[in-house]
């Protein structure tokens, strides 16, 4: 059986988008760049000081010297509301994270990936400042692509979306609904499925009463016109297990078959993905950002070369989805 990650890599080979990796002094990043080029997954530019030795086929770009004037103008435009000075801009564009985001903003690259060295807060903050949110999008959130092990008893090798696990700490009902819409769109873009979205809680269909449950049921009301199957509030077992779902939420279009899990807050989402990864043996790719005007993604500082390669493939699928949306 072909794994979802294999499928994403094949799609990336067909598209061969241009990715800029901002952390070219990290050995994992350099190795991933070499593999991406060798396997035809992407065209790759790596940001690093001039003179850095890179594998054949990987383009080197030094943020301290590359098109400095053009980058300064782009930065001044991106941060116009903050009224930066020329001196501020000249200093900022030499930062590899900022420079990579500016390359995406100005069309010099299709996407950027960082976070092997920098924190999530740094990578997300700069992506928001320089690339910005997509038109009409109320917030930027994240998800993890979770690939279950081949030995899983009910969904061997299956893939799911967990959201939000890294960005929005305590969403209100409207924000939770926005996250659900973004996660459903991400599932379509990456997995090619008609998503079944579960809004998770510690309650199923009124089994408990609390303001935290009410937030989830209110979010469901905001999704009344959603172009995908969605239900909540559902406990995890009711969302995931067919027998439990049929018992706890009979007639639900989602219960027992959910492939997109939307968590009520960051505590729940972050804990859940790590448990699924460390105890359940699932492969976790992310955090992957959703809601930006153009793709920019984060890596865990504990990432492997393979993780970076998978993120390149995932980001390629996001580019395809954005380009398709722009032409429809």
């Amino acid at each position: 059986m072909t794994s979802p990650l294999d499928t994403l890599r094949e799609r990336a080979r067909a598209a061969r988008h241009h990715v800029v990796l901002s952390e070219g002094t990290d050995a994992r990043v350099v190795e991933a760049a070499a593999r991406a080029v060798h396997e035809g997954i992407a065209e790759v530019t790596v940001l690093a000081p001039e003179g850095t030795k890179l594998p054949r086929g990987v383009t080197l770009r030094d943020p301290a010297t590359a098109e400095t004037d053009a980058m300064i103008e782009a930065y001044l435009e991106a941060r116009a509301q903050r009224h930066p000075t020329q001196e501020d801009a000249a200093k900022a564009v030499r930062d590899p994270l900022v420079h990579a985001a500016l390359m995406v903003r100005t069309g010099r690259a299709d996407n950027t990936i960082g976070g092997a060295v920098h924190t999530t807060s740094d990578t997300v903050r700069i992506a928001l400042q320089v690339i910005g949110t997509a038109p009409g999008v109320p917030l930027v959130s994240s998800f993890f692509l979770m690939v279950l092990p081949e030995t899983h008893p009910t969904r061997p090798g299956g893939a799911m979306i967990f959201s939000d696990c890294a960005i929005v700490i305590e969403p209100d009902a409207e924000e939770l609904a926005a996250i659900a819409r973004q996660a459903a769109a991400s599932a379509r873009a990456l997995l090619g499925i008609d998503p079944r979205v579960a809004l998770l809680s510690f309650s199923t269909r009124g089994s408990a009463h609390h303001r935290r449950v009410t937030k989830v049921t209110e979010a469901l009301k905001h999704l009344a016109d959603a172009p995908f199957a969605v239900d909540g509030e559902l406990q995890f077992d009711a969302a995931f297990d067919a027998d439990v779902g049929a018992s706890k939420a009979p007639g639900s279009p989602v219960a027992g078959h959910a492939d997109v899990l939307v968590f009520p807050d960051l505590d729940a989402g972050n804990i859940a993905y790590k448990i699924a990864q460390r105890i359940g043996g699932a492969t976790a790719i992310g955090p992957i950002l959703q809601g930006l005007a153009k793709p920019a993604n984060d890596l865990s500082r504990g990432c492997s070369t393979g993780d970076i390669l998978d993120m390149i493939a995932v980001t390629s699928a996001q580019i395809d989805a954005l380009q398709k949306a722009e032409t429809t």
Side-chain angles (χ1 to χ4, degrees):
M1 181 175 67
T2 302
S3 77
L5 292 175
D6 288 338
T7 300
L8 285 170
R9 290 189 186 190
E10 285 301 320
R11 288 171 58 185
R13 289 186 185 95
R16 281 190 59 84
H17 293 298
H18 179 195
V19 59
V20 54
L21 302 178
S22 56
E23 298 163 322
T25 58
D26 187 281
R28 296 165 298 173
V29 172
V30 173
E31 184 179 350
R35 287 182 58 184
V37 170
H38 178 72
E39 297 178 24
I41 290 174
E43 297 179 17
V44 183
T45 294
V46 167
L47 300 189
E50 287 184 10
T52 301
K53 293 183 179 180
L54 294 177
R56 183 186 300 273
V58 177
T59 300
L60 172 67
R61 184 180 175 101
D62 185 351
T65 59
E67 297 180 279
T68 303
D69 290 342
M71 292 293 102
I72 288 173
E73 289 304 312
Y75 182 83
L76 291 171
E77 178 187 65
R79 303 291 289 151
Q81 290 185 338
R82 293 286 183 173
H83 307 292
T85 66
Q86 285 282 135
E87 184 179 353
D88 293 334
K91 180 179 178 181
V93 301
R94 287 168 170 77
D95 180 295
L97 287 179
V98 174
H99 197 93
L102 286 168
M103 288 181 65
V104 175
R105 178 183 175 91
T106 60
R108 289 168 171 80
D110 296 314
N111 64 93
T112 178
I113 297 171
V117 177
H118 295 85
T119 65
T120 292
S121 61
D122 284 339
T123 56
V124 173
R125 172 178 51 82
I126 289 171
L128 284 169
Q129 291 176 349
V130 176
I131 297 174
T133 57
V137 172
L139 81 170
V140 169
S141 63
S142 75
F143 69 93
F144 275 78
L145 174 63
M146 306 296 294
V147 182
L148 303 181
E150 296 291 342
T151 55
H152 194 278
T154 59
R155 301 192 192 184
M160 304 183 72
I161 298 291
F162 282 23
S163 186
D164 182 356
C165 303
I167 304 296
V168 187
I169 296 175
E170 196 168 358
D172 60 25
E174 289 189 24
E175 290 170 333
L176 201 60
I179 291 169
R181 291 182 187 275
Q182 291 176 349
S186 294
R188 282 200 175 100
L190 267 64
L191 304 176
I193 60 173
D194 289 324
R196 288 172 287 194
V197 179
L199 304 180
L200 297 184
S201 174
F202 61 83
S203 170
T204 296
R205 294 281 183 88
S207 65
H209 300 279
H210 190 274
R211 60 181 176 80
R212 292 182 180 272
V213 177
T214 301
K215 180 180 77 170
V216 177
T217 57
E218 288 296 319
L220 183 64
K221 293 178 183 178
H222 289 294
L223 294 166
D225 63 342
F228 51 84
V230 57
D231 199 7
E233 84 282 16
L234 294 173
Q235 291 164 286
F236 171 77
D237 57 353
F240 185 80
D241 184 277
D243 291 337
V244 177
S247 173
K248 288 188 174 184
S252 168
V254 169
H257 305 284
D259 38 41
V260 177
L261 303 182
V262 177
F263 295 90
D265 57 40
L266 196 60
D267 280 336
N270 192 270
I271 291 167
Y273 103 77
K274 289 180 184 294
I275 290 175
Q277 179 186 35
R278 301 300 180 181
I279 295 180
T283 299
I285 305 299
I288 303 163
L289 304 184
Q290 48 192 11
L292 289 169
K294 295 182 179 181
N297 277 318
D298 184 33
L299 297 163
S300 165
R301 281 174 287 171
C303 66
S304 66
T305 296
D307 293 336
I308 301 171
L309 203 64
D310 288 335
M311 185 65 86
I312 292 172
V314 165
T315 309
S316 177
Q318 289 182 298
I319 297 166
D320 291 341
L322 283 172
Q323 291 178 346
K324 182 178 179 180
E326 289 171 355
T327 58
T328 57

